[in-house]
Amino acid sequence: MQPIPDLDILQPTSSAPDLAEGIDAPRTLGQETDARDGQRRVYIETYGCQMNVADSELVASILGAEGYGLTQQEDEADVVLINTCAIREKAEDRVRGRLAKFRAKKVQTKPDLTIGVLGCMAERLRTKLLDQEKLVDVVVGPDAYRDLPRLLAETAETGQAAVNVHLSREETYADLAPVRYDSNGISAFVSIMRGCDNMCAFCVVPFTRGRERSRPVTSILAECSQLVDLGYKEVTVLGQNVNSYRVDADGHAVDFAELLYRISLLSPELRIRYSTSHPKDCSDALLHVHRERPTVCDFIHLPVQHGSTEVLRRMRRTYTREQYLDLIERARSIVPGIAFSTDIIAGFCGETDEEHAETLSLMEQVRYDHAFMFAYSERPHTYAARKFEDNVPEAVKKRRLAEIITLQNQTSLDLNRQRIGQRYTVLVEGLSRKSDAQLCGRTDTNHMVVFDREDYAPGEYVEVEVTGCTSATLLGHAIRQTTLVEEAV
Ligand code: 5AD
Ligand code: SF4
């Protein structure tokens, strides 16, 4: 979910030029709250995608309602919760390292410390983490967060491990208002569906997060509307397979295109993004919503995974290279100027040099603005693990990945250079990471822009002229403050 190359922990949203599974450091929820009398303080560390960050916010609000306090300092915590990612082996290894460290602390200096594992590793590694390695006290799967207060109380009382890894077909946490602990007060994530039914051959998500289920429209609209009232300027709607969203509302099927349309009616000044989508669910109706609604950003994270039809078939992606390229062309003709990012896997089972070359040639054809690129990592239970041999040598995977990254960096730089001299409406997200004298924010097309602060402030829309760039960032100077309504005229 952020983020390249092959990085396995979440990328800070403030600098995210992307919205996918990216990653470079674990996240700690960004607020301190007091515990009610007699209650304990919790430290939550989050790995993986934006969905995990959104889930950690849910967990924080569930525990907050029970009087737990939140701390950003692991040393001050009575309860440490690690929200985990299982998508690649490396991600799992990192989490294990952290758990071992907390366990050592508990044994050596802090016997009352409670250590919990949340999320994607819970189901798969429950036995190992609990029985064999005795690393944790509480294990809670992604559909069982409501049970967390009970489980924490149980382990505190009995000294025994407490577990709930039940995967639900219904749970969407629709009625729970997440507390935006991890937000800049400008852009927020809204979870609209959970799980995935696609069963791509390489992917562990359907096993860790269960079946697809969509959250009711009314609760999504209510949450977005509340965010507007609170002054938020951007929502990113989230789901493992977000554009397969579908619910029955009063006998009428609402799909993703209609949902976005309805969210866009809430405010003319609220930008709308989404992540992460599957090409098979990228309908013309959805593209027309991008075209017709000025606040629906002209950017799609549209993972291709590979450039060869034969590899896509082995990956069970359900589309061919040609169908994917047609989709990109259709999108560009319906929504001129739309930008794309993607996910690409190098070294999938049986990948030949010729097949790898097809990935490079597809990248050259599409010219993505941005990509998340990974070496294939075999995951347990997946179709690929059961049916294919992970037979591309590590050195070859690495070399192919490096070629993919080099090509993408060059393309990103070329595309950014073409933007020099153009003006864009930037939603200011905060200070730039490098200097307090500069602000950063993103264009409609999800390009990060850095410019001199002057008298502008986070939360404002500012027209910025691009004067320079790197492959990851546009540099510019502010022209004037603006609004989305003005921009659309
Ligand atoms: N190995 C490497 N990359 C993977 N991804 C998912 N599973 C694997 C795996 N087993 C990548 C895909 C997906 C992104 C979130 O992570 O590109 O779109
Ligand atoms: Fe994994 Fe494929 Fe589902 Fe994405 S669509 S979460 S890659 S199974």
Side-chain angles (χ1 to χ4, degrees):
M1 335 30 142
Q2 309 118 18
I4 330 293
D6 192 22
L7 305 164
D8 289 297
I9 314 164
L10 190 81
Q11 147 160 8
T13 43
S14 61
S15 72
D18 57 81
L19 300 163
E21 319 300 308
I23 308 181
D24 62 9
R27 299 293 301 268
T28 311
L29 293 187
Q31 249 189 44
E32 297 267 330
T33 56
D34 289 333
R36 266 204 314 254
D37 280 351
Q39 197 47 290
R40 297 182 293 164
R41 295 192 84 194
V42 187
Y43 169 80
I44 307 179
E45 192 166 285
T46 309
Y47 292 77
C49 62
Q50 296 296 3
M51 281 293 286
N52 268 9
V53 177
D55 277 5
S56 288
E57 290 184 337
L58 267 178
V59 165
S61 34
I62 290 168
L63 293 178
E66 297 294 317
Y68 283 85
L70 198 63
T71 174
Q72 289 177 274
Q73 310 300 325
E74 56 185 74
D75 291 339
E76 286 175 15
D78 310 300
V79 179
V80 167
L81 299 176
I82 311 279
N83 196 353
T84 60
C85 174
I87 199 134
R88 284 168 292 274
E89 199 174 2
K90 225 178 185 181
E92 263 188 27
D93 291 347
R94 285 205 202 186
V95 169
R96 289 189 109 82
R98 286 298 279 163
L99 289 172
K101 185 182 160 216
F102 286 120
R103 176 75 200 173
K105 183 168 170 185
K106 176 172 169 130
V107 170
Q108 287 157 15
T109 58
K110 208 167 178 181
D112 291 336
L113 183 68
T114 301
I115 305 168
V117 159
L118 312 178
C120 289
M121 277 170 68
E123 153 73 26
R124 205 174 87 62
L125 292 183
R126 150 182 65 154
T127 321
K128 244 179 160 183
L129 295 173
L130 284 171
D131 301 342
Q132 295 171 12
E133 299 172 8
K134 301 205 183 317
L135 284 178
V136 298
D137 308 298
V138 177
V139 179
V140 189
D143 291 342
Y145 297 141
R146 288 178 202 270
D147 203 19
L148 191 52
R150 185 189 68 78
L151 296 167
L152 286 174
E154 185 183 307
T155 190
E157 243 169 59
T158 64
Q160 300 295 310
V163 182
N164 186 344
V165 291
H166 174 70
L167 285 175
S168 159
R169 280 179 174 254
E170 286 91 35
E171 181 64 272
T172 60
Y173 300 105
D175 58 310
L176 288 181
V179 181
R180 310 278 163 196
Y181 289 108
D182 192 55
S183 172
N184 51 10
I186 296 159
S187 43
F189 294 97
V190 175
S191 184
I192 64 157
M193 57 85 65
R194 302 177 73 84
C196 181
D197 287 348
N198 285 337
M199 295 283 176
C200 298
F202 49 80
C203 186
V204 78
V205 165
F207 303 93
T208 61
R209 286 198 162 251
R211 304 302 299 266
E212 269 178 36
R213 64 223 101 115
S214 294
R215 177 180 167 188
V217 183
T218 43
S219 83
I220 297 170
L221 292 177
E223 187 175 338
C224 292
S225 184
Q226 197 188 23
L227 289 166
V228 172
D229 292 345
L230 290 169
Y232 281 81
K233 294 289 174 57
E234 182 179 85
V235 289
T236 301
V237 299
L238 293 178
Q240 251 82 43
N241 196 10
V242 77
N243 55 348
S244 74
Y245 176 89
R246 195 172 184 85
V247 290
D248 232 1
D250 305 324
H252 161 72
V254 176
D255 65 6
F256 187 60
E258 180 168 349
L259 177 72
L260 280 198
Y261 181 83
R262 288 169 72 168
I263 297 174
S264 78
L265 296 177
L266 294 174
S267 163
E269 295 298 326
L270 182 73
R271 268 190 178 169
I272 302 159
R273 302 184 186 278
Y274 57 88
S275 188
T276 181
S277 54
H278 193 292
K280 79 173 166 49
D281 298 308
C282 186
S283 65
D284 281 6
L286 177 56
L287 296 172
H288 280 282
V289 171
H290 278 274
R291 181 195 174 104
E292 304 305 330
R293 305 301 299 167
T295 54
V296 174
C297 290
D298 289 345
F299 164 77
I300 307 182
H301 180 66
L302 196 65
V304 67
Q305 311 295 0
H306 208 277
S308 147
T309 293
E310 175 50 30
V311 177
L312 289 169
R313 190 190 60 74
R314 291 206 293 278
M315 286 179 160
R316 303 176 119 196
R317 286 293 287 180
T318 73
Y319 52 84
T320 63
R321 171 191 176 95
E322 289 70 32
Q323 284 167 336
Y324 183 90
L325 289 171
D326 282 351
L327 174 59
I328 295 277
E329 207 179 294
R330 208 160 62 247
R332 285 182 169 150
S333 72
I334 296 173
V335 194
I338 192 165
F340 292 99
S341 64
T342 196
D343 293 344
I344 292 179
I345 297 177
F348 185 63
C349 312
E351 184 192 64
T352 63
D353 275 335
E354 292 73 28
E355 287 167 343
H356 165 62
E358 288 193 79
T359 292
L360 297 174
S361 78
L362 179 131
M363 292 171 72
E364 276 169 349
Q365 239 174 294
V366 176
R367 291 173 67 77
Y368 294 103
D369 286 87
H370 188 75
F372 304 97
M373 300 157 282
F374 312 101
Y376 173 62
S377 150
E378 185 176 274
R379 306 311 291 133
H381 308 304
T382 56
Y383 186 83
R386 286 181 285 119
K387 303 280 181 187
F388 305 135
E389 202 186 330
D390 179 12
N391 57 359
V392 177
E394 280 312 305
V396 176
K397 282 184 190 171
K398 278 211 173 110
R399 176 178 51 74
R400 291 180 184 165
L401 178 62
E403 286 172 17
I404 289 170
I405 291 170
T406 303
L407 174 58
Q408 182 54 47
N409 286 346
Q410 189 55 52
T411 307
S412 298
L413 184 60
D414 288 350
L415 292 174
N416 276 353
R417 281 192 180 136
Q418 288 170 18
R419 295 180 186 273
I420 293 174
Q422 316 256 12
R423 291 183 179 187
Y424 297 96
T425 299
V426 172
L427 172 59
V428 183
E429 293 176 10
L431 296 175
S432 103
R433 268 208 265 186
K434 289 198 184 135
S435 158
D436 285 358
Q438 290 193 310
L439 295 172
C440 69
R442 277 175 296 156
T443 64
D444 181 276
T445 48
N446 209 35
H447 290 86
M448 182 57 70
V449 186
V450 173
F451 60 97
D452 283 348
R453 183 172 172 178
E454 301 176 46
D455 291 329
Y456 299 101
E460 291 174 353
Y461 288 107
V462 177
E463 190 184 355
V464 177
E465 181 167 312
V466 177
T467 52
C469 69
T470 66
S471 64
T473 311
L474 299 173
L475 312 168
H477 64 252
I479 304 291
R480 62 186 183 113
Q481 200 185 329
T482 183
T483 63
L484 293 190
V485 171
E486 235 184 287
E487 177 204 44
V489 173

mmCIF file of all heavy atoms in Angstrom, residues 1 6 20-21 49 87-89 202-205 276 301 303 305 317 342-346 372 374-379 382, ligand 1:
data_model
loop_
_atom_site.group_PDB
_atom_site.id
_atom_site.type_symbol
_atom_site.label_atom_id
_atom_site.label_comp_id
_atom_site.label_asym_id
_atom_site.label_seq_id
_atom_site.Cartn_x
_atom_site.Cartn_y
_atom_site.Cartn_z
ATOM 1 N N MET A 1 0.158 -0.085 0.000
ATOM 2 C CA MET A 1 0.000 0.000 0.000
ATOM 3 C C MET A 1 0.979 0.526 0.000
ATOM 4 O O MET A 1 1.071 0.261 -0.029
ATOM 5 C CB MET A 1 -0.936 -0.341 0.279
ATOM 6 C CG MET A 1 -1.735 -1.093 0.467
ATOM 7 S SD MET A 1 -1.980 -1.778 0.658
ATOM 8 C CE MET A 1 -2.500 -1.764 1.007
ATOM 9 N N ASP A 6 10.198 -2.116 -3.568
ATOM 10 C CA ASP A 6 10.077 -3.227 -2.647
ATOM 11 C C ASP A 6 10.168 -2.801 -1.191
ATOM 12 O O ASP A 6 10.964 -3.298 -0.426
ATOM 13 C CB ASP A 6 11.195 -4.231 -2.950
ATOM 14 C CG ASP A 6 10.912 -5.522 -2.211
ATOM 15 O OD1 ASP A 6 9.749 -5.733 -1.877
ATOM 16 O OD2 ASP A 6 11.855 -6.280 -1.992
ATOM 17 N N ALA A 20 -1.097 3.600 -3.015
ATOM 18 C CA ALA A 20 -1.181 2.147 -2.956
ATOM 19 C C ALA A 20 -0.469 1.559 -1.761
ATOM 20 O O ALA A 20 -0.316 2.216 -0.764
ATOM 21 C CB ALA A 20 -0.620 1.585 -4.223
ATOM 22 N N GLU A 21 0.010 0.319 -1.904
ATOM 23 C CA GLU A 21 0.584 -0.379 -0.766
ATOM 24 C C GLU A 21 2.001 0.060 -0.555
ATOM 25 O O GLU A 21 2.902 -0.715 -0.618
ATOM 26 C CB GLU A 21 0.613 -1.887 -1.008
ATOM 27 C CG GLU A 21 -0.603 -2.446 -1.658
ATOM 28 C CD GLU A 21 -1.799 -2.202 -0.837
ATOM 29 O OE1 GLU A 21 -1.745 -2.547 0.348
ATOM 30 O OE2 GLU A 21 -2.764 -1.655 -1.338
ATOM 31 N N CYS A 49 -0.650 -1.338 4.228
ATOM 32 C CA CYS A 49 -1.366 -0.413 3.345
ATOM 33 C C CYS A 49 -2.190 0.613 4.113
ATOM 34 O O CYS A 49 -2.309 0.564 5.330
ATOM 35 C CB CYS A 49 -2.277 -1.213 2.434
ATOM 36 S SG CYS A 49 -3.510 -2.128 3.354
ATOM 37 N N ILE A 87 1.739 -9.176 3.155
ATOM 38 C CA ILE A 87 1.684 -9.259 1.696
ATOM 39 C C ILE A 87 2.960 -9.812 1.084
ATOM 40 O O ILE A 87 2.909 -10.552 0.120
ATOM 41 C CB ILE A 87 1.270 -7.910 1.075
ATOM 42 C CG1 ILE A 87 0.763 -8.118 -0.349
ATOM 43 C CG2 ILE A 87 2.388 -6.893 1.096
ATOM 44 C CD1 ILE A 87 -0.502 -7.401 -0.652
ATOM 45 N N ARG A 88 4.105 -9.455 1.662
ATOM 46 C CA ARG A 88 5.361 -10.043 1.206
ATOM 47 C C ARG A 88 6.122 -10.546 2.419
ATOM 48 O O ARG A 88 5.922 -10.054 3.525
ATOM 49 C CB ARG A 88 6.194 -9.009 0.428
ATOM 50 C CG ARG A 88 5.673 -8.769 -0.972
ATOM 51 C CD ARG A 88 6.324 -7.558 -1.606
ATOM 52 N NE ARG A 88 5.907 -6.351 -0.932
ATOM 53 C CZ ARG A 88 4.789 -5.674 -1.223
ATOM 54 N NH1 ARG A 88 4.006 -6.091 -2.183
ATOM 55 N NH2 ARG A 88 4.456 -4.612 -0.554
ATOM 56 N N GLU A 89 7.021 -11.482 2.171
ATOM 57 C CA GLU A 89 7.700 -12.119 3.289
ATOM 58 C C GLU A 89 8.471 -11.115 4.136
ATOM 59 O O GLU A 89 8.483 -11.175 5.356
ATOM 60 C CB GLU A 89 8.643 -13.194 2.752
ATOM 61 C CG GLU A 89 9.043 -14.186 3.807
ATOM 62 C CD GLU A 89 9.864 -15.315 3.215
ATOM 63 O OE1 GLU A 89 10.136 -15.291 1.999
ATOM 64 O OE2 GLU A 89 10.244 -16.204 3.995
ATOM 65 N N PHE A 202 -0.829 -14.818 -6.803
ATOM 66 C CA PHE A 202 0.312 -14.494 -5.937
ATOM 67 C C PHE A 202 -0.100 -13.942 -4.579
ATOM 68 O O PHE A 202 0.731 -13.757 -3.710
ATOM 69 C CB PHE A 202 1.202 -13.446 -6.628
ATOM 70 C CG PHE A 202 0.426 -12.263 -7.155
ATOM 71 C CD1 PHE A 202 0.036 -11.244 -6.316
ATOM 72 C CD2 PHE A 202 0.063 -12.208 -8.487
ATOM 73 C CE1 PHE A 202 -0.702 -10.172 -6.781
ATOM 74 C CE2 PHE A 202 -0.680 -11.137 -8.976
ATOM 75 C CZ PHE A 202 -1.069 -10.120 -8.118
ATOM 76 N N CYS A 203 -1.385 -13.662 -4.385
ATOM 77 C CA CYS A 203 -1.775 -12.744 -3.308
ATOM 78 C C CYS A 203 -2.400 -13.438 -2.091
ATOM 79 O O CYS A 203 -3.317 -14.243 -2.213
ATOM 80 C CB CYS A 203 -2.740 -11.707 -3.862
ATOM 81 S SG CYS A 203 -3.128 -10.445 -2.657
ATOM 82 N N VAL A 204 -1.927 -13.044 -0.930
ATOM 83 C CA VAL A 204 -2.369 -13.670 0.307
ATOM 84 C C VAL A 204 -3.607 -12.954 0.890
ATOM 85 O O VAL A 204 -4.253 -13.456 1.794
ATOM 86 C CB VAL A 204 -1.185 -13.678 1.319
ATOM 87 C CG1 VAL A 204 -0.983 -12.316 1.958
ATOM 88 C CG2 VAL A 204 -1.336 -14.764 2.364
ATOM 89 N N VAL A 205 -3.937 -11.775 0.330
ATOM 90 C CA VAL A 205 -5.000 -10.951 0.923
ATOM 91 C C VAL A 205 -6.339 -11.682 1.096
ATOM 92 O O VAL A 205 -6.968 -11.589 2.147
ATOM 93 C CB VAL A 205 -5.175 -9.633 0.124
ATOM 94 C CG1 VAL A 205 -6.475 -8.934 0.467
ATOM 95 C CG2 VAL A 205 -4.002 -8.704 0.407
ATOM 96 N N THR A 276 -7.613 0.647 -3.670
ATOM 97 C CA THR A 276 -6.861 0.374 -4.872
ATOM 98 C C THR A 276 -7.760 -0.392 -5.825
ATOM 99 O O THR A 276 -8.575 -1.186 -5.356
ATOM 100 C CB THR A 276 -5.590 -0.418 -4.538
ATOM 101 O OG1 THR A 276 -4.824 -0.694 -5.686
ATOM 102 C CG2 THR A 276 -5.880 -1.710 -3.836
ATOM 103 N N HIS A 301 -5.049 4.650 -9.550
ATOM 104 C CA HIS A 301 -4.042 3.623 -9.297
ATOM 105 C C HIS A 301 -4.618 2.331 -9.866
ATOM 106 O O HIS A 301 -5.611 1.816 -9.353
ATOM 107 C CB HIS A 301 -3.782 3.500 -7.789
ATOM 108 C CG HIS A 301 -2.758 2.452 -7.489
ATOM 109 N ND1 HIS A 301 -1.448 2.582 -7.874
ATOM 110 C CD2 HIS A 301 -2.857 1.242 -6.885
ATOM 111 C CE1 HIS A 301 -0.773 1.502 -7.507
ATOM 112 N NE2 HIS A 301 -1.609 0.679 -6.915
ATOM 113 N N PRO A 303 -3.387 -1.182 -10.871
ATOM 114 C CA PRO A 303 -2.314 -2.174 -10.926
ATOM 115 C C PRO A 303 -2.420 -3.100 -12.138
ATOM 116 O O PRO A 303 -3.469 -3.693 -12.360
ATOM 117 C CB PRO A 303 -2.500 -2.973 -9.634
ATOM 118 C CG PRO A 303 -3.183 -2.033 -8.715
ATOM 119 C CD PRO A 303 -4.097 -1.210 -9.589
ATOM 120 N N GLN A 305 0.292 -5.372 -12.773
ATOM 121 C CA GLN A 305 1.062 -6.508 -12.247
ATOM 122 C C GLN A 305 2.075 -7.072 -13.251
ATOM 123 O O GLN A 305 3.174 -7.406 -12.887
ATOM 124 C CB GLN A 305 0.165 -7.666 -11.736
ATOM 125 C CG GLN A 305 -0.943 -7.247 -10.805
ATOM 126 C CD GLN A 305 -0.472 -6.663 -9.472
ATOM 127 O OE1 GLN A 305 0.718 -6.567 -9.218
ATOM 128 N NE2 GLN A 305 -1.399 -6.242 -8.641
ATOM 129 N N ARG A 317 -5.232 -12.852 -13.404
ATOM 130 C CA ARG A 317 -5.670 -11.456 -13.326
ATOM 131 C C ARG A 317 -6.929 -11.181 -14.132
ATOM 132 O O ARG A 317 -7.471 -10.085 -14.081
ATOM 133 C CB ARG A 317 -4.535 -10.533 -13.784
ATOM 134 C CG ARG A 317 -3.410 -10.416 -12.770
ATOM 135 C CD ARG A 317 -3.854 -9.713 -11.517
ATOM 136 N NE ARG A 317 -4.034 -8.289 -11.707
ATOM 137 C CZ ARG A 317 -4.432 -7.458 -10.745
ATOM 138 N NH1 ARG A 317 -4.714 -7.921 -9.544
ATOM 139 N NH2 ARG A 317 -4.578 -6.174 -10.989
ATOM 140 N N THR A 342 0.674 2.356 -10.949
ATOM 141 C CA THR A 342 0.450 0.915 -11.084
ATOM 142 C C THR A 342 1.266 0.140 -10.064
ATOM 143 O O THR A 342 2.127 0.710 -9.380
ATOM 144 C CB THR A 342 0.835 0.469 -12.517
ATOM 145 O OG1 THR A 342 0.282 -0.824 -12.771
ATOM 146 C CG2 THR A 342 2.342 0.406 -12.707
ATOM 147 N N ASP A 343 0.962 -1.149 -9.961
ATOM 148 C CA ASP A 343 1.816 -2.086 -9.220
ATOM 149 C C ASP A 343 2.361 -3.087 -10.227
ATOM 150 O O ASP A 343 1.628 -3.526 -11.119
ATOM 151 C CB ASP A 343 1.008 -2.891 -8.193
ATOM 152 C CG ASP A 343 0.464 -2.042 -7.064
ATOM 153 O OD1 ASP A 343 0.928 -0.913 -6.876
ATOM 154 O OD2 ASP A 343 -0.434 -2.539 -6.363
ATOM 155 N N ILE A 344 3.638 -3.438 -10.063
ATOM 156 C CA ILE A 344 4.259 -4.395 -10.977
ATOM 157 C C ILE A 344 5.060 -5.421 -10.178
ATOM 158 O O ILE A 344 5.756 -5.061 -9.223
ATOM 159 C CB ILE A 344 5.185 -3.664 -11.973
ATOM 160 C CG1 ILE A 344 4.320 -2.818 -12.914
ATOM 161 C CG2 ILE A 344 6.040 -4.651 -12.764
ATOM 162 C CD1 ILE A 344 5.092 -2.020 -13.926
ATOM 163 N N ILE A 345 4.923 -6.670 -10.577
ATOM 164 C CA ILE A 345 5.691 -7.731 -9.914
ATOM 165 C C ILE A 345 6.710 -8.294 -10.896
ATOM 166 O O ILE A 345 6.356 -8.659 -12.024
ATOM 167 C CB ILE A 345 4.757 -8.872 -9.439
ATOM 168 C CG1 ILE A 345 3.774 -8.337 -8.400
ATOM 169 C CG2 ILE A 345 5.574 -10.028 -8.877
ATOM 170 C CD1 ILE A 345 2.759 -9.360 -7.913
ATOM 171 N N ALA A 346 7.976 -8.350 -10.453
ATOM 172 C CA ALA A 346 9.041 -8.936 -11.276
ATOM 173 C C ALA A 346 9.339 -10.333 -10.767
ATOM 174 O O ALA A 346 9.366 -10.574 -9.562
ATOM 175 C CB ALA A 346 10.301 -8.077 -11.175
ATOM 176 N N PHE A 372 4.563 1.186 -8.068
ATOM 177 C CA PHE A 372 5.075 0.412 -6.930
ATOM 178 C C PHE A 372 5.569 -0.896 -7.510
ATOM 179 O O PHE A 372 4.796 -1.606 -8.153
ATOM 180 C CB PHE A 372 3.979 0.143 -5.910
ATOM 181 C CG PHE A 372 3.346 1.399 -5.429
ATOM 182 C CD1 PHE A 372 2.168 1.842 -5.981
ATOM 183 C CD2 PHE A 372 3.951 2.154 -4.449
ATOM 184 C CE1 PHE A 372 1.599 3.020 -5.564
ATOM 185 C CE2 PHE A 372 3.386 3.335 -4.025
ATOM 186 C CZ PHE A 372 2.210 3.773 -4.579
ATOM 187 N N PHE A 374 7.732 -4.567 -7.215
ATOM 188 C CA PHE A 374 8.101 -5.582 -6.230
ATOM 189 C C PHE A 374 8.714 -6.801 -6.907
ATOM 190 O O PHE A 374 8.340 -7.153 -8.023
ATOM 191 C CB PHE A 374 6.849 -6.075 -5.489
ATOM 192 C CG PHE A 374 5.974 -4.968 -4.990
ATOM 193 C CD1 PHE A 374 4.826 -4.605 -5.683
ATOM 194 C CD2 PHE A 374 6.296 -4.270 -3.835
ATOM 195 C CE1 PHE A 374 4.009 -3.586 -5.219
ATOM 196 C CE2 PHE A 374 5.489 -3.247 -3.371
ATOM 197 C CZ PHE A 374 4.343 -2.905 -4.060
ATOM 198 N N ALA A 375 9.620 -7.468 -6.165
ATOM 199 C CA ALA A 375 10.071 -8.791 -6.594
ATOM 200 C C ALA A 375 9.052 -9.795 -6.060
ATOM 201 O O ALA A 375 8.562 -9.637 -4.932
ATOM 202 C CB ALA A 375 11.445 -9.082 -6.026
ATOM 203 N N TYR A 376 8.739 -10.786 -6.837
ATOM 204 C CA TYR A 376 7.758 -11.783 -6.396
ATOM 205 C C TYR A 376 8.249 -12.483 -5.129
ATOM 206 O O TYR A 376 9.401 -12.864 -5.003
ATOM 207 C CB TYR A 376 7.515 -12.824 -7.501
ATOM 208 C CG TYR A 376 6.650 -13.956 -7.025
ATOM 209 C CD1 TYR A 376 5.339 -13.724 -6.605
ATOM 210 C CD2 TYR A 376 7.147 -15.260 -6.943
ATOM 211 C CE1 TYR A 376 4.546 -14.764 -6.130
ATOM 212 C CE2 TYR A 376 6.366 -16.298 -6.485
ATOM 213 C CZ TYR A 376 5.064 -16.040 -6.075
ATOM 214 O OH TYR A 376 4.292 -17.057 -5.598
ATOM 215 N N SER A 377 7.320 -12.650 -4.203
ATOM 216 C CA SER A 377 7.635 -13.321 -2.938
ATOM 217 C C SER A 377 6.521 -14.335 -2.687
ATOM 218 O O SER A 377 5.351 -13.971 -2.619
ATOM 219 C CB SER A 377 7.688 -12.225 -1.870
ATOM 220 O OG SER A 377 7.333 -12.646 -0.603
ATOM 221 N N GLU A 378 6.886 -15.586 -2.637
ATOM 222 C CA GLU A 378 5.845 -16.634 -2.516
ATOM 223 C C GLU A 378 5.132 -16.548 -1.168
ATOM 224 O O GLU A 378 5.775 -16.420 -0.133
ATOM 225 C CB GLU A 378 6.481 -18.016 -2.667
ATOM 226 C CG GLU A 378 5.449 -19.116 -2.672
ATOM 227 C CD GLU A 378 6.079 -20.479 -2.919
ATOM 228 O OE1 GLU A 378 6.264 -20.836 -4.093
ATOM 229 O OE2 GLU A 378 6.400 -21.163 -1.923
ATOM 230 N N ARG A 379 3.809 -16.598 -1.205
ATOM 231 C CA ARG A 379 3.028 -16.521 0.022
ATOM 232 C C ARG A 379 2.255 -17.815 0.221
ATOM 233 O O ARG A 379 1.709 -18.393 -0.733
ATOM 234 C CB ARG A 379 2.043 -15.345 -0.023
ATOM 235 C CG ARG A 379 2.636 -13.998 -0.326
ATOM 236 C CD ARG A 379 3.869 -13.647 0.512
ATOM 237 N NE ARG A 379 3.609 -13.409 1.912
ATOM 238 C CZ ARG A 379 4.314 -13.936 2.920
ATOM 239 N NH1 ARG A 379 5.313 -14.761 2.669
ATOM 240 N NH2 ARG A 379 4.029 -13.656 4.158
ATOM 241 N N THR A 382 -1.452 -19.561 -1.299
ATOM 242 C CA THR A 382 -1.908 -18.957 -2.551
ATOM 243 C C THR A 382 -1.884 -19.998 -3.669
ATOM 244 O O THR A 382 -1.206 -21.029 -3.580
ATOM 245 C CB THR A 382 -0.993 -17.782 -2.954
ATOM 246 O OG1 THR A 382 0.354 -18.269 -3.024
ATOM 247 C CG2 THR A 382 -1.072 -16.657 -1.934
HETATM 248 N N1 5AD B 1 4.896 -10.883 -4.113
HETATM 249 C C1 5AD B 1 5.232 -9.651 -4.570
HETATM 250 N N2 5AD B 1 4.354 -8.637 -4.652
HETATM 251 C C2 5AD B 1 3.090 -8.887 -4.263
HETATM 252 N N3 5AD B 1 2.004 -8.104 -4.234
HETATM 253 C C3 5AD B 1 0.973 -8.811 -3.738
HETATM 254 N N4 5AD B 1 1.355 -10.061 -3.445
HETATM 255 C C4 5AD B 1 2.677 -10.129 -3.772
HETATM 256 C C5 5AD B 1 3.640 -11.159 -3.715
HETATM 257 N N5 5AD B 1 3.321 -12.378 -3.276
HETATM 258 C C6 5AD B 1 2.000 -6.723 -4.720
HETATM 259 C C7 5AD B 1 1.019 -6.568 -5.878
HETATM 260 C C8 5AD B 1 -0.127 -5.836 -5.248
HETATM 261 C C9 5AD B 1 0.601 -4.990 -4.220
HETATM 262 C C10 5AD B 1 -0.252 -4.462 -3.144
HETATM 263 O O1 5AD B 1 1.571 -5.866 -3.686
HETATM 264 O O2 5AD B 1 1.637 -5.801 -6.876
HETATM 265 O O3 5AD B 1 -0.871 -5.049 -6.159
#
